[in-house]
Amino acid sequence: MARLVTLKADKSLWDESHYKTHHQASTFNSYLKQYYPLNVLPFKHTQHNLKFKVTCRVRDKEIENLVEAQKKVNRFRAIEELDQKEGLVKTLEDEFGEGKGDKSVRFEWNWPPLKNIPQRYKLIGTTSLAFVICNMDKVNLSVAIIPMSHQFGWNSSTAGLVQSSFFWGYALSQLPGGWLAKIFGGRKVLEVGVLAWSLATALVPFLAGYMPGLVASRILVGMGEGVSPSAATDLIARSIPLEERSRAVSFVFGGLSFGSVMGLLLAPPLIQSYGWESVFIIFGFLGIAWFLAFQFVKDDEPSAGGASTSGHLFFSEKNSWIGSLEELEGSLKDVPWKAFFKSKAVWAMIYAHFCGSWGHYTCLSWLPTYFSEELSLNLTEAAWVSVLPPLASIFVTSIAAQLADYLITKGVDTTRVRKTCQAISFLSPASCMILSSLDLGLPPWEVVTILTGGLALSSFALSGLYCTHQDISPEYASILLGITNTVGAVPGIVGVALTGYLLDSTHSWSLSLFAPSIFFYLTGTVVWLTFASSKPQTFSKRD
């Protein structure tokens, strides 16, 4: 027969005299003293009250069941550090009614509210905010380039040079960013990247009249933003279990779409009211403010972030910066580069990233012009229509992430989920571009709707390709993304310029803008479905 034990604590310490027992109390006391002495429980030196209850089971001749009570008591260890720092209030409520059977009680902790939010969610939230600022600083120049060109007398070639300089920095920083994230941890690399691109953005108004300085500042913006995807990938791989990964990746990288929307909506009124300089100064200081606020967000405990029902083993982050050039060089040599390029799954990720980026960057650069010239929309209408694809992507991303994580939780093979999501992200825009290329006599707004839907569905890639780096190797996820993103940056340099060249040569939007994207979407689908895999792989230099 089970009997209830009543516990009580005062504001200063626990004392054996405060125990009242009806039966089996001495057994419970001796058990606690043996396994968890009362003088080390985290309830000393408090000044206020906090209610909680402890569930335990005491049965005659079944003392071994008290191990369950010990496990529950161990959960209170995590409160000790918070108690010392915050002076939180703790008190035992000694209301245990006497009766038969098991007595179930709950732990109550309602203040402060933010303490109930897992630390990994705070990290993911602030990382997503960094990506919002990232794309705000990326698209601000596409709006400000018009008044800047008028002020400084730039022709189209000069304006194109200024805009393309971003992609040079972006491409060159991918592999170094992945390597540095592997060594120092994604958090530190992300901090430095945000600070670097924000300072460079804020300096644009002061360097605009000096072309080498302006180009250098945009290259620095590209480098700062270039290390951020690898840093975020490393942070997610270290902190987020498999069954939450699709939502984490989608939430973080979905910040890019939201940043594009915010940048395109805020830049025009700011320029009209305060001049084009205001866009760079305000957006730059937003990044600096983020950097300062991020210092107050703590890292998650490895045990919290590493726990995964899938059985993945996560590694702990480096605790300190490597102090010598020799160690840095050694860490670079330890990366199993040959093993990476012997993997069919890695090559599938590389080609898929290239194909997806071709469609994304060419449409991002040329769709406003297409809307204006081909569909005869005025500049204001074209600007607003350009917001629709990233705005719709935010909605699609949330659905795709929930669906992917749900399927994995229900036991669907991870590789199958990633292949399905990526196939949707390729075939949807390809189909919509084919419809837009055909002369079906559709009115302009129907063409806009079709293209918006196709480009929005391409966001399924965040639950496909962009999760696969962490799936196959959490340890080298940042470096793998650095490799694929380096190749993925090439369309920003080559594809955008090639589209303009083909447009001048053929005077056909179907051949210059849509046909190459359709080709890469379709071939990318075939390669991905054939060779992609999310099975964990152990890369080593012996492979």
Side-chain angles (χ1 to χ4, degrees):
M1 178 181 296
R3 288 291 186 267
L4 188 66
V5 179
T6 300
L7 306 180
K8 182 177 181 180
D10 64 17
K11 297 179 180 179
S12 59
L13 58 99
W14 278 30
D15 190 273
E16 190 173 348
S17 63
H18 292 143
Y19 287 89
K20 298 177 182 180
T21 63
H22 299 290
H23 183 67
Q24 295 292 341
S26 60
T27 302
F28 186 72
N29 283 334
S30 62
Y31 174 81
L32 283 179
K33 286 183 178 181
Q34 178 180 358
Y35 291 97
Y36 204 98
L38 296 179
N39 61 355
V40 299
L41 282 170
F43 305 106
K44 298 179 68 175
H45 308 299
T46 60
Q47 299 177 352
H48 306 286
N49 294 326
L50 176 70
K51 295 180 180 181
F52 71 90
K53 302 176 183 179
V54 183
T55 300
C56 64
R57 179 181 297 175
V58 181
R59 289 182 182 275
D60 297 336
K61 299 180 182 181
E62 293 181 350
I63 303 301
E64 62 273 15
N65 289 344
L66 290 173
V67 174
E68 297 301 324
Q70 167 64 16
K71 292 180 180 179
K72 294 181 180 294
V73 173
N74 284 342
R75 295 176 185 173
F76 302 147
R77 289 181 181 272
I79 306 173
E80 185 173 9
E81 181 179 353
L82 293 175
D83 178 42
Q84 295 173 353
K85 294 182 178 179
E86 306 291 342
L88 293 177
V89 190
K90 302 176 178 65
T91 290
L92 285 176
E93 180 180 1
D94 59 343
E95 186 64 28
F96 285 74
E98 187 175 339
K100 297 180 180 181
D102 300 334
K103 301 300 178 183
S104 181
V105 258
R106 295 186 302 271
F107 177 72
E108 303 177 51
W109 183 353
N110 298 320
W111 186 260
L114 290 179
K115 297 299 180 182
N116 294 326
I117 301 177
Q119 198 66 30
R120 65 183 184 275
Y121 294 164
K122 298 178 185 178
L123 284 171
I124 293 303
T126 50
T127 303
S128 180
L129 181 58
F131 276 51
V132 172
I133 300 173
C134 172
N135 257 28
M136 290 177 67
D137 288 338
K138 183 184 296 183
V139 303
N140 59 4
L141 184 62
S142 64
V143 180
I145 195 69
I146 299 174
M148 292 175 69
S149 298
H150 291 163
Q151 178 177 336
F152 297 104
W154 296 340
N155 56 27
S156 298
S157 298
T158 303
L161 172 64
V162 174
Q163 293 194 79
S164 65
S165 59
F166 168 88
F167 291 101
W168 285 104
Y170 190 81
L172 293 174
S173 61
Q174 295 300 315
L175 277 177
W179 169 56
L180 292 173
K182 171 65 172 61
I183 299 171
F184 302 129
R187 179 192 174 106
K188 292 185 180 297
V189 175
L190 180 64
E191 291 177 355
V192 175
V194 173
L195 183 61
W197 93 56
S198 299
L199 290 174
T201 298
L203 289 175
V204 167
F206 306 98
L207 300 173
Y210 179 61
M211 185 56 64
L214 177 60
V215 171
S217 69
R218 291 304 294 178
I219 291 176
L220 183 57
V221 172
M223 294 177 66
E225 295 192 9
V227 302
S228 300
S230 296
T233 298
D234 178 84
L235 190 150
I236 292 171
R238 295 177 189 268
S239 305
I240 305 300
L242 174 62
E243 57 272 14
E244 298 179 10
R245 191 170 297 155
S246 298
R247 283 168 288 177
V249 172
S250 297
F251 188 74
V252 169
F253 285 88
L256 295 173
S257 297
F258 189 74
S260 297
V261 172
M262 293 299 294
L264 291 172
L265 291 179
L266 293 177
L270 285 174
I271 292 174
Q272 291 177 356
S273 300
Y274 305 105
W276 63 263
E277 297 88 349
S278 63
V279 174
F280 298 99
I281 295 175
I282 293 175
F283 288 6
F285 275 96
L286 283 177
I288 296 173
W290 179 95
F291 171 81
L292 296 175
F294 195 57
Q295 307 307 311
F296 297 95
V297 179
K298 300 175 184 177
D299 287 318
D300 198 7
E301 293 296 329
S303 58
S308 175
T309 56
S310 63
H312 276 284
L313 295 178
F314 285 76
F315 47 91
S316 60
E317 190 167 345
K318 303 288 192 230
N319 293 324
S320 60
W321 293 72
I322 299 177
S324 67
L325 182 61
E326 290 76 12
E327 288 175 309
L328 287 171
E329 183 179 357
S331 65
L332 181 60
K333 292 180 179 179
D334 288 338
V335 176
W337 302 103
K338 291 183 179 180
F340 290 160
F341 294 107
K342 288 182 179 180
S343 171
K344 294 180 180 179
V346 172
W347 280 107
M349 291 192 299
I350 291 173
Y351 188 66
H353 209 140
F354 177 89
C355 295
S357 294
W358 187 284
H360 175 74
Y361 288 138
T362 54
C363 287
L364 183 67
S365 300
W366 288 102
L367 271 185
T369 306
Y370 169 79
F371 292 146
S372 177
E373 295 184 358
E374 184 70 8
L375 303 184
S376 301
L377 302 179
N378 60 45
L379 292 178
T380 302
E381 291 173 336
W384 279 99
V385 167
S386 299
V387 176
L388 295 179
L391 190 62
S393 295
I394 298 174
F395 175 74
V396 172
T397 295
S398 61
I399 296 178
Q402 295 287 347
L403 176 62
D405 281 346
Y406 173 80
L407 293 175
I408 293 175
T409 302
K410 291 299 182 181
V412 180
D413 181 63
T414 305
T415 298
R416 179 174 297 179
V417 174
R418 304 304 185 207
K419 284 186 175 182
T420 301
C421 290
Q422 191 61 35
I424 293 174
S425 76
F426 278 169
L427 295 178
S428 298
S431 301
C432 292
M433 287 181 181
I434 291 174
L435 289 176
S436 301
S437 301
L438 300 176
D439 188 10
L440 301 177
L442 298 176
W445 289 104
E446 289 188 12
V447 176
V448 169
T449 302
I450 292 173
L451 288 175
T452 297
L455 294 175
L457 289 172
S458 67
S459 297
F460 264 85
L462 295 180
S463 298
L465 168 65
Y466 283 85
C467 287
T468 310
H469 305 80
Q470 297 99 312
D471 291 341
I472 68 174
S473 179
E475 182 179 4
Y476 294 109
S478 61
I479 296 180
L480 290 172
L481 182 63
I483 294 173
T484 64
N485 221 9
T486 298
V487 179
V490 173
I493 301 171
V494 178
V496 174
L498 180 62
T499 300
Y501 173 79
L502 291 176
L503 185 61
D504 288 337
S505 303
T506 64
H507 302 287
S508 170
W509 284 100
S510 297
L511 294 176
S512 59
L513 178 61
F514 296 135
S517 296
I518 293 171
F519 170 80
F520 287 119
Y521 279 140
L522 294 180
T523 57
T525 301
V526 173
V527 171
W528 182 260
L529 293 178
T530 304
F531 300 109
S533 174
S534 289
K535 294 182 180 180
Q537 300 186 29
T538 302
F539 295 106
S540 66
K541 298 185 70 173
R542 294 175 296 179
D543 292 344

